[in-house]
Amino acid sequence: IDQVIQEMKSAPLGIFSIQLDESTDGANCSQLLVYVRYINNGDFKDEFLFCKPLETTSTSCDVFDSIGSFLQKHDIPWEKVCGVCTDGAPAMLGCRSGFQRLVFNESPKAIGTHCMIHRQVLATKTLHKSYKK
């Protein structure tokens, strides 16, 4: 993890994007998975950043605080986050209090996207059965 953090900090302009997902494990515990994308030696690099349990609830504030504490621990300012990719859950995308809104408040130039995998799952749910073969 130290190497990833060092590479993130030494990336051009020091900016990076994050992709996150909250899922429930077999023991019914919420886990926050965070991946990072940055430029290293002229190429994009995608790396696993961390996984943390969400002890009580998995609200946008819980997710924001969890990532914020990680960034603070490693002396990385929110302003370096240039992109956020999440699923379509209201806690993530809510325009007033969702996770992306909380990030935009700290890093106004960041861009938010909806995860492509989640889009594919949503699209396949609407396809007629004959197309799913």
Side-chain angles (χ1 to χ4, degrees):
I1 187 79
D2 291 335
Q3 180 181 348
V4 171
I5 292 168
Q6 195 58 37
E7 287 178 352
M8 287 169 54
K9 288 181 174 182
S10 64
L13 305 177
I15 60 174
F16 59 91
S17 63
I18 56 175
Q19 179 171 342
L20 53 134
D21 190 26
E22 179 269 321
S23 21
T24 305
D25 64 17
N28 212 24
C29 296
S30 277
Q31 302 289 336
L32 175 64
L33 301 159
V34 181
Y35 298 85
V36 64
R37 174 177 259 198
Y38 54 93
I39 296 174
N40 183 42
N41 294 327
D43 291 322
F44 283 103
K45 195 161 183 184
D46 296 300
E47 294 289 341
F48 175 75
L49 192 58
F50 70 87
C51 175
K52 283 188 178 182
L54 294 170
E55 304 291 341
T56 54
T57 59
S58 56
T59 66
S60 58
C61 289
D62 296 327
V63 172
F64 182 79
D65 290 344
S66 182
I67 294 173
S69 67
F70 179 89
L71 294 177
Q72 184 177 25
K73 176 182 175 184
H74 296 285
D75 196 30
I76 302 169
W78 273 109
E79 293 81 17
K80 298 297 182 179
V81 177
C82 66
V84 181
C85 183
T86 62
D87 64 13
M92 294 296 161
L93 294 177
C95 63
R96 290 194 177 91
S97 61
F99 172 76
Q100 286 191 3
R101 170 51 49 205
L102 296 172
V103 172
F104 300 156
N105 290 344
E106 298 296 322
S107 185
K109 294 182 180 179
I111 297 169
T113 59
H114 184 178
C115 178
M116 184 57 102
I117 294 170
H118 288 98
R119 287 182 185 177
Q120 287 177 323
V121 170
L122 293 172
T124 58
K125 286 181 180 181
T126 61
L127 291 177
H128 189 273
K129 289 181 183 179
S130 64
Y131 293 113
K132 292 185 181 181
K133 293 181 182 178

